[in-house]
Amino acid sequence: MARFVKTPEEIALLREGGRRLAGILQRVAGAVAPGVRTRELDALAEQLIRKAGGKPSFKGYKGRGKIPYPAALCTSVNDALVHGIPTDYVLKDGDIIGLDIGMVWKGLYTDTAVTVPAGNIEKRTRELLWATRESLDAGIARVREGAALGDIGHAIQQYLEKHGFGVIRELVGHGVGYAVHEEPEIPNWGTIGTGMRLKEGMIIALEPMASIGSPDIALDADGWTWKTKNGQNTAHFEHTLAVLKDGAEILTFV
Ligand code: MF3
Ligand code: CO
Ligand code: CO
């Protein structure tokens, strides 16, 4: 566990890389509109990552499967939750899109995501985006040296369920810094006081994922995209954080 604690020098690089990556995600999110192809968003993301002196960490990433991820950005539309592959799909009014981006900068990895609307979206979908974003803050508020992973999961789950949304169970947050995914796994549900305890200097990515109605998801035939079984909209927000003695520092912050 101790090996996952980063030095102040490493955290300084993560902070600078995270700040750049957050700015890039903001630019890409700003380009979302009806009429835009998801492939165009990916091209913009990759161009901005390279201009920032970084490398897209998702491109070529294998995860647990055999198919390397082909893009710099994950574009997950409507019932697609995460890991959607950019295509020629043209966004239409009323769509929502999850944008997840990762960069290696001076050897260190950061990871951040938002879900944003294209045009005008339905009321319950608007509430889903808002509640998922807020649940990330509820989780971040629990982060500090000595906190248990279950404290974080509990806070996220409570927040989402209080607002009537489902918590996705198949995918979790994670440690980060020297790889796309490091230990530990950080579930978006849990019981207070259970699980590993955080140490100052750990770098973690929290990423609540929520659905309207049933949280059951299935992997698409493309080998990457996770979608809800009932076809309902889902949302995902993510920040990379440093664990401090008394709280958290959001590293993917502009
Ligand atoms: N960014 C994702 C996460 O938050 C992982 C994406 S891997 C990819 O954990 F290959 F799909 F890009
Ligand atoms: Co991510
Ligand atoms: Co992540």
Side-chain angles (χ1 to χ4, degrees):
M1 185 174 92
R3 70 185 182 281
F4 295 117
V5 170
K6 272 67 178 179
T7 64
E9 293 71 28
E10 291 168 324
I11 293 173
L13 291 174
L14 285 158
R15 182 181 294 121
E16 184 53 27
R19 195 180 65 77
R20 290 172 188 233
L21 187 62
I24 292 168
L25 182 58
Q26 226 174 48
R27 294 256 322 255
V28 175
V32 168
V36 172
R37 290 183 199 276
T38 56
R39 208 188 286 287
E40 296 171 332
L41 298 171
D42 176 56
L44 175 62
E46 178 155 2
Q47 180 204 326
L48 293 174
I49 286 172
R50 300 214 185 267
K51 201 169 120 198
K55 273 198 332 201
S57 59
F58 299 168
K59 216 170 192 177
Y61 180 69
K62 285 210 181 89
R64 284 179 205 154
K66 294 195 193 76
I67 313 161
Y69 189 77
L73 183 73
C74 298
T75 55
S76 307
V77 178
N78 296 337
D79 60 324
L81 169 65
V82 288
H83 307 167
I85 296 172
T87 64
D88 285 326
Y89 177 78
V90 178
L91 290 170
K92 58 184 194 314
D93 187 60
D95 281 347
I96 56 170
I97 179 168
L99 303 169
D100 191 343
I101 191 165
M103 176 166 78
V104 199
W105 193 77
K106 301 203 174 170
L108 289 140
Y109 290 65
T110 51
D111 183 4
T112 182
V114 292
T115 305
V116 295
N120 293 306
I121 60 174
E122 283 171 10
K123 178 162 176 282
R124 192 60 182 150
T125 298
R126 214 157 52 228
E127 290 168 354
L128 172 73
L129 298 192
W130 168 80
T132 311
R133 178 65 190 82
E134 289 290 311
S135 77
L136 175 55
D137 279 346
I140 293 171
R142 297 282 157 233
V143 173
R144 53 178 296 148
E145 161 130 332
L149 295 183
D151 302 352
I152 298 170
H154 180 82
I156 293 171
Q157 177 182 14
Q158 282 274 107
Y159 193 89
L160 289 170
E161 290 181 351
K162 185 173 82 189
H163 290 92
F165 296 109
V167 175
I168 278 86
R169 307 290 178 133
E170 284 81 353
L171 298 153
V172 294
H174 52 92
V176 65
Y178 279 106
V180 174
H181 293 135
E182 291 179 10
E183 285 177 57
E185 292 195 343
I186 308 176
N188 294 306
W189 65 93
T191 306
I192 291 173
T194 63
M196 202 201 74
R197 290 193 181 266
L198 297 176
K199 276 204 156 48
E200 186 181 10
M202 286 179 69
I203 306 298
I204 57 175
L206 293 191
E207 46 183 315
M209 290 162 252
S211 66
I212 297 174
S214 160
D216 287 347
I217 58 172
L219 190 60
D220 189 80
D222 68 13
W224 277 106
T225 315
W226 287 92
K227 288 185 176 172
T228 55
K229 289 187 182 169
N230 63 9
Q232 298 253 37
N233 283 349
T234 56
H236 172 224
F237 285 82
E238 176 175 29
H239 271 309
T240 297
L241 317 166
V243 178
L244 309 179
K245 270 230 157 3
D246 283 310
E249 178 182 352
I250 301 177
L251 298 173
T252 43
F253 194 77
V254 189

